[in-house]
Amino acid sequence: MPAPTSHRAVHRTEIDAPADRVYALIRDAAEWPRHFTPTVHVERAELDARSERLRIWATANGEVKHWTSHRALDPEGPSVRFRQEVCSPPVAAMSGEWVLRDLPGGRCELTLHHTFAAVDDRPEDVEWITTATDRNSRTELANIKALAEAAGSDAELLFSFEDSETVHAPAEAVYAFLAEAGKWPDRLPHVSRLDLTEPSDGVQVMTMVTRANDGSEHTTESVRVCFPDELRIVYKQIGTPPLMTLHTGEWSIRDTGDGLLVTSQHTIRINEAAIPEILGANATAADARARVRAAVGGNSAATLALAKRFAEAPHAA
């Protein structure tokens, strides 16, 4: 059979920041879930000083896709070439390059090239890939531009924290409680409703309604990637409450030799524009961090406590 037809796309933006700063954002793929709106999770394996392999989970046209890419790094260029080694249908092949060019005044131009082909050259699939590539490329370039031009400006808005619980029970029982999110409305008092779909192996998409202490309810949408062999679940909220613009996290289980250490980790970026409306005109970023830490941490602590009770119960043995 003839090879599928190759299609090309080019997206470009000018950035009021030096090329090396922009290159660092592109280079640090492990941080993409925090930087790029479509990216849910990245697993990175260094091959040598100039190449790496990435396993990427991201949204595309409202769907969750997963692929594996090889990247060649050229800090002198500066540029990064990539080629998908394992594609997600309807993509049959995908490759490209991030290319940076210095401009006068400490500015730079960033160009993102894509070359792709669709499975069996189906026109509807070519259109799907073209739309997804265009939408995600524009979003990623806008994300990079905003980050590079405002380097360090969100220091008071971005923060991470974790809560842990020691559990004396089989790790499989704890993991089952965390992975079986569809049962949470019956197991977690603060979860009033949860709609869960599993579009592919190990991937969960869920819409969850949580109830606060004051009786108010908040809806969040998340994509979770489950790693049962590693006893961890990573996630990213693709629909956050008004006081946040970012929420990523991870559930992990580690055997300490004296029980299991079950940890819930969070990284959150505060929505600065929403602070006055939600917390009052005189509220600060610190006030917002404290409010979010109490709310999110409270739910995590409650989930960890109930996971412990569930796993240590006789029926779980």
Side-chain angles (χ1 to χ4, degrees):
M1 293 182 62
T5 303
S6 291
H7 304 267
R8 290 174 172 79
V10 179
H11 295 82
R12 184 176 290 112
T13 190
E14 292 186 5
I15 302 175
D16 190 12
D20 58 351
R21 183 188 300 170
V22 178
Y23 176 82
L25 293 171
I26 299 167
R27 171 70 176 84
D28 193 4
E31 290 294 309
W32 283 4
R34 300 183 186 185
H35 297 333
F36 292 176
T37 303
T39 307
V40 174
H41 182 62
V42 176
E43 295 271 308
R44 176 181 175 271
E46 185 176 4
L47 302 178
D48 55 49
R50 292 295 186 102
S51 66
E52 62 187 5
R53 178 169 289 113
L54 304 178
R55 296 172 63 201
I56 301 173
W57 289 261
T59 58
N61 291 344
E63 301 178 30
V64 181
K65 296 294 184 179
H66 167 230
W67 63 90
T68 302
S69 286
H70 178 277
R71 297 211 307 173
L73 311 168
D74 178 12
E76 289 80 22
S79 66
V80 177
R81 296 195 315 276
F82 58 89
R83 175 180 54 83
Q84 290 189 8
E85 297 177 323
V86 178
C87 300
S88 180
V91 176
M94 176 76 75
S95 61
E97 186 173 15
W98 301 85
V99 180
L100 282 152
R101 182 172 66 91
D102 286 312
L103 297 175
R107 301 166 61 249
C108 68
E109 178 187 75
L110 174 59
T111 304
L112 176 54
H113 300 268
H114 283 96
T115 300
F116 63 87
V119 175
D120 296 332
D121 272 336
R122 288 188 292 264
E124 63 271 25
D125 290 338
V126 172
E127 182 179 358
W128 190 97
I129 300 169
T130 300
T131 300
T133 301
D134 180 67
R135 180 178 293 146
N136 283 11
S137 296
R138 291 179 185 275
T139 299
E140 289 166 1
L141 290 177
N143 290 159
I144 290 176
K145 178 179 173 68
L147 282 163
E149 291 182 348
S153 65
D154 68 351
E156 292 189 351
L157 305 177
L158 184 69
F159 68 109
S160 299
F161 64 91
E162 61 182 39
D163 298 289
S164 297
E165 184 81 60
T166 299
V167 180
H168 297 279
E172 294 76 13
V174 181
Y175 181 83
F177 183 94
L178 298 174
E180 294 171 351
K183 298 179 181 179
W184 283 3
D186 297 325
R187 294 175 171 175
L188 301 176
H190 64 273
V191 177
S192 58
R193 182 172 63 84
L194 194 148
D195 299 321
L196 180 71
T197 59
E198 297 183 282
S200 61
D201 188 35
V203 174
Q204 298 177 336
V205 179
M206 64 189 208
T207 300
M208 181 168 66
V209 180
T210 56
R211 187 182 302 106
N213 291 333
D214 62 4
S216 61
E217 292 189 335
H218 305 276
T219 301
T220 57
E221 297 177 68
S222 301
V223 177
R224 307 206 311 173
V225 183
C226 303
F227 300 94
D229 294 340
E230 302 172 22
L231 298 173
R232 65 189 181 103
I233 300 170
V234 299
Y235 64 88
K236 180 175 182 176
Q237 286 189 355
I238 56 175
T240 55
L243 200 52
M244 309 179 205
T245 59
L246 170 75
H247 183 185
T248 64
E250 178 175 345
W251 299 95
S252 63
I253 303 169
R254 180 171 62 87
D255 190 345
T256 67
D258 185 24
L260 305 173
L261 185 66
V262 186
T263 301
S264 173
Q265 186 275 335
H266 305 270
T267 295
I268 289 168
R269 183 181 292 110
I270 296 296
N271 181 6
E272 188 173 24
I275 294 176
E277 180 181 352
I278 297 175
L279 301 182
N282 296 322
T284 65
D287 296 327
R289 291 198 307 270
R291 169 71 70 88
V292 171
R293 173 65 175 94
V296 175
N299 286 345
S300 287
T303 301
L304 290 168
L306 288 164
K308 173 181 174 71
R309 182 187 307 173
F310 173 86
E312 291 180 348
H315 71 82

